[in-house]
Amino acid sequence: DEIYLPLLDDIYLCVRSIPSTRDQLDIKVEQRAGQARSTSTRDDDASRDGNKRDCCAVDRVDASIRHLPVIYPSSIRVHTKEKGMASQQLVSTDAAFERAVLCVFQALPSATPLDQQTAQAQLDDLASRPVALFDTCMVHLELSQRMEVQFYALQAMHGLVQSGGYAALDDGRKRALKRSLLQRGSSAAGSSQASQASQASQLSQASQASQASQSPPPLFMRNKLAQVIVAIAAEEYPAAWPGFFSDVLSALKENPASVDCFSRIMISIHEDIISLEVPRSAAGAKASMTFKDAMRDNALEQVAASWHQMLVMFKSSDPGLVALLLNSVERYVNWIDISLVANERFMPILFEVLNSDHSTHGVAQVAAVEVLAEIVGKKMESGVKLSLIQGLGLVPLAAQWADTGLPGMMSCVSFEVEDHDLAVASAKLLVNLANEILDAWKKVENSVISLQTVGVSLDDEAILEATASCQTATMMMEQLFPAVVTAFRIPQDDVSVIVAPFMLSYVSRIKLVSKRANGELAPVVRAQLVALLEAAAVCARFDSNVALYPVDYASMEEMVIAEEEEQSVSSRRQDLFSLFRNASKLVPAAAYELVVNMLNNSLIGNGAASPAGAVGAVGGATRASQGTSNWQDAEIALSLFYQLGEGMTEEVLKSSAHPLVELASGIIQLDDSVATHRLVALALLEACARYAKVTLFRPALLPSLASKFFGSAGLGHPASTVPPRAAYLLCRTVKTLRQPISAISRDILCALMPHLDAIARSPIDNQSVYAKLGCSRPSGLAAAGASATIGVSGAGVSTPDDRLFAFEAAGLLVGSAEDEKIQVEWLQALTRPLIEQLERTDGNGVTSSEPSVSSTAADKQMSEQRIQSGNDQNGQYQAALCRQCMEALTRISKGFVSKMCASRPKLTQALLQPLEPAVKAVKALYMVKEFRAKFLAYVHRLVECLGEPIVPLLPTVFWALDHPQMDASDFKDILVLVNQIVVRFTSNQTIIDSVVIPLFADCSSKVHEYLGSDWDWSMRTSLEGVEDQGTGSTEELRERAELQKQYYTIVNSVSQCTPVIDRVLSRDSAAVSDVFQGAVLNMDPAVRRLCIATLSGIVLHWVRTQPLVEVKEVVSRFGCDVLVFGLLVKPEAGGIDIRDAGSIALLSEIATQVKLLATNDRVGDVFLSAVVETATTRYGWNQEIAGELVAQIRTLDGRALRSYLKSMVVVGRERLR
């Protein structure tokens, strides 16, 4: 046995490779092993029997897992030497334990959930006994052939250490565990195929076959092994295991497995013990610092030497292992002594790895770059940092990338990326290097300037040292900048987002230096800025390899691709365009020349030798072609031209020779054929809108400018996304040039009419609706820019249609005309098609011109059901047309002001003409909420611009808005209109008597109807969102709460109208009572504040107009119950929470009103006396405290009084307990 058993595994694997003998060998080996176990058991003494029973306690497994497949254990002789005693013990794996582990890991298909639960219970029971768990796991870690069992053993050991069970083990077991783990980590089965090949020649033929059949342990096993070793080190190093690092390094062999294990141990030390990114307790942070200090004092030099030795050994043969090793180095650079890695031995190896063949060493190159980036980014003094960077020799290496391209790029010419990770890592290194040089340069220079500014004199040596440091930084930046520009030009978002922040910082630095030098720039710096401008233009350009549809997408996939690309470019351009603008301000002539050349090359097709010639080419173009370029070049050229116009001053506009003015003139006169692609058209329109003020001093350009917006590059563009933006920009331009452009308003209106007609007839761009109606999707003039979808509810959810800005522009043009007759003619021409469309609306048979409803309730119900169910597609389309018409009428009316309409009665009548058909349409389509909203917006606009002439038509308007299905939300919308009427006509007594007072009385009574008798006026239910059968759903509660707020708003408006207060807001009126409730009980601080302001206006009016005897009670109630002592009510009883931010404004309002009452000549003393009486009689305060309150009210003001009231609330609520 002593000879046979140690070789059993080799013989078994060798012979088992013969298929014919495999099964027989399994049986014989198992039989022989069983005999050996029985013999060993009989020879054991009583003590070993006890240990055996403890270690094999898991044999008592529930019978429910006995049916699982039997796993044949291997059997070998284990040699142990502890405390000078040598023994040989034959141990083997426990099949029951292995089955339990496999069952828990779901590695046995036949195991049921009950089996898994039982197995988990058995393992938990074993885990509760640390010694038994340790012995069992040690045996299976050495002997088990199942990876799941080995991993469980390691995992259990890890948990044993972390849970404190490791401390219960004796020293012998601890030493055995550490030795076993380190030996396992350095085993030859560890890492690479190269290691296996180097050992193959030393094996016998049978052993060679066995070794070839083995494979490296999986990553999770190697990582777990390292975690267990590090967990033990965290417990014992440096006190109990001072030689941890020496033991780890001495256990290593010259094979990849050892290096792999060492690297993972170092990574695990960083992540589990040292890293500051992991939240730790105070004790954990202290232990981490102790571990780090011990490493710094005793181990780092040895570890760094091992890093170097391992890199030298495997730098050429195993790039994956080198990458892992360098990953471990990277984690320590930021806190170890930099000389351990930044030296003449270590740096050449990093450079050698970086310059190695990318096809085989790509992953190692990335790791080397990351280590270099950490070395460069290590914090230190500015002068020392510059010396370090210069001594590393990294700047000359990185400077070569300007010609060769960054590592990971295929070439510097095509800017194609071969290895994305390496290119990104190289860009980070390059930017880190440039940032560190720039920061050190600024700190050295600023330190000298700061000291000189405060009057501190510097000796010559310090000045020379600072000067030398600045010169060194300047020289290195000049060498490095071309490589940074090369990286900036890489068409990868991941790279540009890294480089752009440095470029912004560098331009800011140049701007500061230029300011100190009175605007002078060195030739080198000027060349750098020019290169930066060119790189920013390249980086901001759309990728030619991404196909973006020129007009409209043909499929959803094409649309999604285009949207993603456009969003990506838009996000990238935010920093790029900011960089371009900042750099162009430093070298404006170079920026103009660059943009001019780009415009000529992309839009004209013939470049120019000078900016002047280029401007002339653009200005003289009448027919441009994009045949020699592509749309990407044209789009970026126009976009950069747009960026140059930011902040253009009036002096520039007046200058006839300024390059921007000349260039803008040429762009405005370009033929529309240059903008066939939708993105080019949008860029052209944006540029024309930004430079529209050029026409203020060049009126001859106005026709060309206007034609851009309604021509084939604007409203007439076939792409659905261009007309909406063109309409908006046209409206903005008309507002900017309202007086000059009125000279050609007739021509513009004539050109706009077909577009307006098309927009009015195409309210939605929903292909399914058009298909159901049997008509095609609108295109060209009728293409909608904002989609609208018809929902199952029938009303539809529409998005704003920016094409309607064209109607607003038309209204502005008509409103700017001097002749009333011309205005009326054009207004009628604009509104006639809209009126005709409204008149064609019959609401599916519901038509009426009288106040009585002509159709029956059944007819209405059927119509409502058809519209709401979505079955009547034609009805939905007609409703959408009416919405479009109402919105267009509202936009047109924005061009007219009340002063103009008051002096032109015919114009007023023309504006009122669409109201009658609109009333009929809203009565017919009363179930379409969106149409009612558009109608209300139109009426709001008429009230604002017409004033009194609309008052006789208001009853008809309210009649149209009233319908049987009206809810709280609908009535709230009506109250908004009523509030506008109250505010608009407060100075007209006739309208007050005939309209305002009846409207307010009617609304006040109906508010109570819609709120209901069970409504909680404190709004607690709606704010808390509590649903029950009595109050309704959450949405209904919200709508009723909004109605209550709007009701309080109307009362507030009425309280500011002196002629109305005495007639509708008497002391016994329901409105005053409602406002009192809101001021005392409402849970919303904003609503309570509104109610308090309203009551203040009412009460102070009564104080001014009524006898003092009659108002004493009201003043006392308002001042005490509402203002001062109303704050004492606790939040749970309906009071406010003074800790809430919204309560600050409420307290400020209360302080203001308290001061107004206290300083009022008639009722000030009455109010303060009531405060004292209420405090002493109702709240039980003594006379001294009440007197102090009154004294504070008299003396304090503003914020001080608010603070005092806040403290009074806290103290007063405590007294109430």
Side-chain angles (χ1 to χ4, degrees):
D1 286 350
E2 292 178 359
I3 299 175
Y4 169 72
L5 288 177
L7 299 176
L8 178 61
D9 276 356
D10 286 342
I11 299 172
Y12 170 71
L13 291 173
C14 181
V15 180
R16 197 175 187 273
S17 62
I18 306 174
S20 61
T21 62
R22 184 178 303 158
D23 296 337
Q24 297 179 7
L25 181 63
D26 288 344
I27 298 174
K28 292 180 179 180
V29 168
E30 175 58 23
Q31 292 174 350
R32 186 66 185 89
Q35 295 173 4
R37 286 197 300 272
S38 62
T39 303
S40 177
T41 303
R42 287 195 301 268
D43 293 341
D44 283 342
D45 55 17
S47 176
R48 289 190 58 187
D49 284 340
N51 291 335
K52 182 71 174 180
R53 287 192 299 270
D54 187 37
C55 293
C56 299
V58 292
D59 282 339
R60 299 187 299 271
V61 183
D62 188 88
S64 61
I65 64 171
R66 291 296 185 185
H67 67 279
L68 297 177
V70 176
I71 301 175
Y72 295 103
S74 62
S75 179
I76 65 172
R77 181 76 63 178
V78 178
H79 299 265
T80 60
K81 291 184 179 180
E82 290 295 337
K83 299 181 180 179
M85 297 179 63
S87 64
Q88 291 183 341
Q89 178 183 0
L90 183 66
V91 295
S92 64
T93 58
D94 179 18
F97 174 77
E98 290 201 349
R99 284 197 299 270
V101 172
L102 295 175
C103 189
V104 170
F105 280 4
Q106 300 181 0
L108 297 177
S110 61
T112 65
L114 180 60
D115 296 336
Q116 296 175 5
Q117 183 178 1
T118 305
Q120 184 64 56
Q122 297 294 334
L123 295 178
D124 292 342
D125 177 69
L126 179 62
S128 65
R129 291 173 286 122
V131 176
L133 177 65
F134 172 83
D135 292 341
T136 303
C137 290
M138 279 293 290
V139 171
H140 289 81
L141 185 60
E142 295 292 339
L143 306 181
S144 179
Q145 298 179 358
R146 293 300 297 260
M147 195 63 65
E148 297 90 340
V149 178
Q150 295 179 24
F151 179 77
Y152 178 84
L154 286 174
Q155 191 177 43
M157 292 292 189
H158 192 211
L160 189 69
V161 175
Q162 290 185 323
S163 64
Y166 178 78
L169 302 179
D170 56 74
D171 292 341
R173 284 184 169 86
K174 291 180 180 178
R175 285 193 295 270
L177 174 60
K178 289 185 284 189
R179 183 171 59 252
S180 175
L181 293 175
L182 292 178
Q183 290 176 354
R184 186 178 183 85
S186 61
S187 63
S191 180
S192 69
Q193 297 297 329
S195 173
Q196 296 177 9
S198 66
Q199 298 177 6
S201 61
Q202 303 175 11
L203 299 174
S204 64
Q205 186 173 0
S207 297
Q208 187 175 357
S210 172
Q211 183 71 19
S213 66
Q214 296 180 359
S215 59
L219 288 178
F220 65 87
M221 286 291 295
R222 286 178 268 170
N223 288 332
K224 181 57 69 176
L225 178 65
Q227 289 176 3
V228 177
I229 295 174
V230 171
I232 297 174
E235 295 290 327
E236 297 190 340
Y237 183 80
W241 194 3
F244 165 65
F245 287 97
S246 298
D247 292 347
V248 170
L249 293 173
S250 62
L252 297 179
K253 302 175 183 177
E254 294 184 358
N255 59 46
S258 298
V259 178
D260 181 276
C261 180
F262 173 69
S263 301
R264 296 182 190 279
I265 288 174
M266 296 304 297
I267 292 173
S268 185
I269 289 174
H270 169 80
E271 295 177 350
D272 298 344
I273 300 177
I274 295 177
S275 176
L276 299 177
E277 298 178 0
V278 179
R280 305 182 192 279
S281 63
K286 183 178 179 180
S288 175
M289 292 302 299
T290 302
F291 197 100
K292 186 188 292 187
D293 291 341
M295 282 189 67
R296 190 180 284 113
D297 295 338
N298 305 317
L300 283 179
E301 292 185 4
Q302 188 179 8
V303 169
S306 299
W307 279 334
H308 176 266
Q309 180 182 358
M310 295 173 188
L311 287 173
V312 171
M313 188 182 305
F314 294 102
K315 63 182 179 180
S316 301
S317 59
D318 200 332
L321 193 61
V322 171
L324 181 63
L325 189 60
L326 289 175
N327 286 336
S328 68
V329 175
E330 176 199 355
R331 288 163 166 81
Y332 291 84
V333 171
N334 66 340
W335 65 271
I336 66 175
D337 185 357
I338 194 63
S339 63
L340 294 175
V341 288
N343 52 50
E344 65 280 359
R345 296 195 311 149
F346 210 90
M347 293 301 296
I349 298 178
L350 293 177
F351 291 161
E352 183 179 351
V353 173
L354 180 58
N355 294 324
S356 57
D357 185 8
H358 172 70
S359 61
T360 57
H361 289 69
V363 63
Q365 287 178 305
V366 174
V369 168
E370 291 173 347
V371 172
L372 290 171
E374 286 294 328
I375 293 174
V376 169
K378 188 171 176 64
K379 302 301 180 183
M380 59 186 70
E381 293 294 331
S382 301
V384 178
K385 171 60 71 68
L386 290 173
S387 299
L388 173 66
I389 293 176
Q390 188 178 26
L392 290 177
L394 192 55
V395 171
L397 175 67
Q400 298 176 6
W401 298 345
D403 300 322
T404 62
L406 268 66
M409 292 176 56
M410 295 183 64
S411 69
C412 186
V413 178
S414 63
F415 292 97
E416 295 182 5
V417 175
E418 181 181 9
D419 187 333
H420 177 268
D421 293 339
L422 182 56
V424 171
S426 302
K428 288 181 180 179
L429 170 61
L430 190 60
V431 171
N432 285 352
L433 187 60
N435 268 324
E436 293 297 331
I437 294 173
L438 183 62
D439 290 342
W441 183 9
K442 290 190 294 185
K443 288 178 181 178
V444 171
E445 192 175 76
N446 291 339
S447 63
V448 174
I449 295 175
S450 299
L451 292 175
Q452 291 176 345
T453 302
V454 298
V456 178
S457 59
L458 298 175
D459 55 20
D460 295 340
E461 184 180 355
I463 295 177
L464 289 175
E465 182 179 353
T467 303
S469 297
C470 291
Q471 291 176 351
T472 300
T474 303
M475 178 190 66
M476 290 192 294
M477 186 60 70
E478 291 176 359
Q479 290 179 323
L480 203 61
F481 193 82
V484 179
V485 172
T486 300
F488 197 31
R489 295 172 67 96
I490 297 177
Q492 294 281 342
D493 290 349
D494 293 342
V495 176
S496 62
V497 77
I498 296 171
V499 183
F502 164 74
M503 289 297 195
L504 287 169
S505 300
Y506 188 61
V507 170
S508 299
R509 168 70 181 169
I510 294 176
K511 183 178 180 181
L512 180 61
V513 173
S514 173
K515 184 178 179 180
R516 293 173 182 170
N518 297 322
E520 294 295 328
L521 291 175
V524 175
V525 175
R526 188 176 297 275
Q528 290 176 348
L529 290 174
V530 173
L532 189 151
L533 290 172
E534 296 174 353
V538 172
C539 196
R541 182 181 179 275
F542 277 95
D543 188 359
S544 301
N545 297 323
V546 179
L548 300 180
Y549 57 90
V551 179
D552 269 330
Y553 55 89
S555 63
M556 292 300 297
E557 181 181 1
E558 187 179 15
M559 182 195 70
V560 170
I561 293 175
E563 287 183 353
E564 291 178 352
E565 177 66 12
E566 291 172 27
Q567 291 175 2
S568 174
V569 172
S570 176
S571 176
R572 184 170 71 241
R573 282 182 172 183
Q574 293 180 2
D575 286 341
L576 294 175
F577 282 163
S578 176
L579 177 64
F580 184 87
R581 291 192 300 268
N582 293 339
S584 64
K585 293 176 183 177
L586 295 172
V587 283
Y592 300 153
E593 182 177 3
L594 172 65
V595 173
V596 166
N597 290 335
M598 293 177 65
L599 286 170
N600 280 301
N601 294 333
S602 59
L603 295 178
I604 306 303
N606 54 345
S610 64
V615 170
V618 173
T622 57
R623 296 293 298 177
S625 172
Q626 291 175 237
T628 59
S629 61
N630 48 40
W631 68 266
Q632 289 91 345
D633 296 329
E635 192 275 339
I636 188 59
L638 288 169
S639 297
L640 294 179
F641 170 61
Y642 174 86
Q643 298 299 323
L644 289 177
E646 184 183 69
M648 190 169 51
T649 63
E650 187 173 352
E651 287 74 15
V652 173
L653 295 174
K654 290 180 180 179
S655 175
S656 59
H658 196 278
L660 274 183
V661 175
E662 292 294 327
L663 192 55
S665 301
I667 294 297
I668 290 174
Q669 297 178 73
L670 280 175
D671 192 89
D672 290 350
S673 60
V674 302
T676 55
H677 197 285
R678 58 186 177 86
L679 295 179
V680 178
L682 290 172
L684 177 62
L685 294 174
E686 295 285 353
C688 289
R690 167 157 285 188
Y691 291 91
K693 288 187 177 180
V694 170
T695 59
L696 291 173
F697 306 96
R698 298 190 178 191
L701 296 175
L702 275 173
S704 298
L705 175 65
S707 66
K708 287 291 178 292
F709 298 106
F710 55 73
S712 59
L715 288 170
H717 199 280
S720 60
T721 56
V722 175
R725 191 62 182 171
Y728 167 75
L729 293 174
L730 172 63
C731 181
R732 200 175 76 182
T733 303
V734 170
K735 288 180 180 179
T736 304
L737 307 174
R738 191 167 185 180
Q739 290 303 322
I741 209 171
S742 62
I744 60 170
S745 60
R746 176 179 292 274
D747 297 334
I748 297 176
L749 289 170
C750 289
L752 275 180
M753 289 305 292
H755 297 291
L756 299 179
D757 182 61
I759 294 170
R761 289 187 292 102
S762 59
I764 54 177
D765 188 11
N766 189 297
Q767 191 168 2
S768 61
V769 173
Y770 288 103
K772 291 180 180 179
L773 294 177
C775 55
S776 61
R777 175 183 174 185
S779 60
L781 294 177
S787 62
T789 57
I790 300 297
V792 294
S793 62
V797 180
S798 64
T799 56
D801 188 354
D802 285 350
R803 296 176 306 151
L804 292 167
F805 277 105
F807 285 95
E808 186 173 344
L812 291 170
L813 290 171
V814 175
S816 63
E818 298 293 337
D819 190 346
E820 181 183 7
K821 182 178 179 181
I822 295 177
Q823 284 184 314
V824 172
E825 289 179 357
W826 276 111
L827 183 58
Q828 290 177 345
L830 290 173
T831 59
R832 187 179 301 111
L834 305 176
I835 294 174
E836 292 175 355
Q837 176 58 44
L838 291 174
E839 290 174 344
R840 285 195 295 269
T841 303
D842 59 358
N844 296 295
V846 182
T847 56
S848 175
S849 58
E850 301 296 333
S852 61
V853 181
S854 60
S855 58
T856 64
D859 294 336
K860 287 184 177 182
Q861 185 176 5
M862 291 177 62
S863 174
E864 295 164 10
Q865 291 176 351
R866 287 197 303 269
I867 295 177
Q868 295 292 344
S869 64
N871 294 329
D872 190 352
Q873 294 292 337
N874 185 65
Q876 294 182 45
Y877 181 67
Q878 293 298 322
L881 284 175
C882 290
R883 288 200 305 269
Q884 195 84 339
C885 292
M886 291 308 308
E887 178 69 18
L889 290 171
T890 304
R891 298 295 184 102
I892 291 173
S893 65
K894 291 183 179 181
F896 306 92
V897 295
S898 58
K899 185 177 181 180
M900 177 193 299
C901 296
S903 61
R904 298 182 179 184
K906 293 183 179 179
L907 179 62
T908 300
Q909 291 301 319
L911 286 170
L912 286 173
Q913 188 177 356
L915 185 59
E916 182 179 354
V919 166
K920 295 179 180 179
V922 77
K923 196 64 178 178
L925 300 173
Y926 67 92
M927 286 300 297
V928 184
K929 282 183 174 288
E930 282 199 355
F931 180 69
R932 288 203 314 273
K934 299 295 184 183
F935 175 76
L936 274 169
Y938 174 59
V939 176
H940 279 295
R941 184 61 211 158
L942 290 183
V943 170
E944 184 65 28
C945 70
L946 296 181
E948 296 181 12
I950 198 177
V951 171
L953 300 176
L954 287 178
T956 306
V957 170
F958 287 111
W959 164 78
L961 292 172
D962 189 18
H963 63 87
Q965 304 297 326
M966 184 180 294
D967 55 15
S969 177
D970 297 332
F971 192 67
K972 188 266 295 184
D973 295 336
I974 293 178
L975 288 187
V976 175
L977 178 60
V978 173
N979 185 68
Q980 183 192 18
I981 294 171
V982 171
V983 174
R984 184 73 171 79
F985 302 113
T986 52
S987 61
N988 192 313
Q989 188 64 45
T990 303
I991 296 178
I992 290 175
D993 294 337
S994 60
V995 178
V996 173
I997 293 177
L999 269 178
F1000 180 79
D1002 185 50
C1003 290
S1004 180
S1005 62
K1006 285 187 176 181
V1007 164
H1008 289 79
E1009 295 179 12
Y1010 285 107
L1011 291 179
S1013 58
D1014 59 344
W1015 176 245
D1016 180 10
W1017 284 79
S1018 69
M1019 291 172 53
R1020 177 191 295 271
T1021 306
S1022 61
L1023 290 174
E1024 294 177 352
V1026 180
E1027 293 188 30
D1028 56 53
Q1029 295 181 353
T1031 58
S1033 65
T1034 303
E1035 180 62 19
E1036 291 174 345
L1037 293 175
R1038 186 196 63 79
E1039 292 177 353
R1040 291 158 74 181
E1042 292 296 325
L1043 174 60
Q1044 181 182 349
K1045 293 178 185 179
Q1046 188 58 44
Y1047 172 53
Y1048 285 149
T1049 302
I1050 289 183
V1051 178
N1052 178 265
S1053 300
V1054 172
S1055 69
Q1056 300 176 36
C1057 181
T1058 303
V1060 182
I1061 294 180
D1062 294 330
R1063 300 178 63 178
V1064 298
L1065 295 179
S1066 60
R1067 275 177 286 175
D1068 57 350
S1069 67
V1072 173
S1073 176
D1074 296 337
V1075 175
F1076 257 110
Q1077 286 190 69
V1080 176
L1081 301 176
N1082 203 280
M1083 299 287 293
D1084 189 338
V1087 175
R1088 185 177 289 200
R1089 180 187 177 192
L1090 176 64
C1091 293
I1092 288 174
T1094 303
L1095 279 179
S1096 176
I1098 296 173
V1099 170
L1100 291 178
H1101 173 76
W1102 290 342
V1103 168
R1104 290 191 302 267
T1105 59
Q1106 296 181 12
L1108 183 61
V1109 178
E1110 298 181 5
V1111 298
K1112 279 186 177 182
E1113 180 182 356
V1114 176
V1115 170
S1116 176
R1117 182 184 175 192
F1118 174 62
C1120 295
D1121 297 348
V1122 175
L1123 296 180
V1124 179
F1125 299 104
L1127 294 172
L1128 299 181
V1129 181
K1130 300 178 182 179
E1132 55 268 20
I1136 63 170
D1137 186 359
I1138 59 174
R1139 297 170 300 178
D1140 184 72
S1143 301
I1144 302 299
L1146 174 60
L1147 284 172
S1148 299
E1149 182 67 29
I1150 290 175
T1152 302
Q1153 300 303 334
V1154 166
K1155 198 66 180 179
L1156 282 176
L1157 278 181
T1159 56
N1160 188 276
D1161 295 336
R1162 295 194 66 194
V1163 296
D1165 295 335
V1166 174
F1167 164 59
L1168 295 177
S1169 299
V1171 169
V1172 174
E1173 181 181 357
T1174 303
T1176 56
T1177 58
R1178 187 185 306 176
Y1179 294 98
W1181 296 6
N1182 58 44
Q1183 194 71 28
E1184 181 180 354
I1185 297 176
E1188 179 187 357
L1189 172 61
V1190 170
Q1192 295 293 344
I1193 292 175
R1194 288 182 185 276
T1195 57
L1196 297 181
D1197 197 1
R1199 182 176 298 179
L1201 182 57
R1202 185 190 70 186
S1203 300
Y1204 174 76
L1205 291 176
K1206 184 176 181 180
S1207 62
M1208 185 207 72
V1209 170
V1210 177
V1211 176
R1213 287 178 178 177
E1214 289 293 331
R1215 292 196 184 103
L1216 292 177
R1217 291 185 176 181

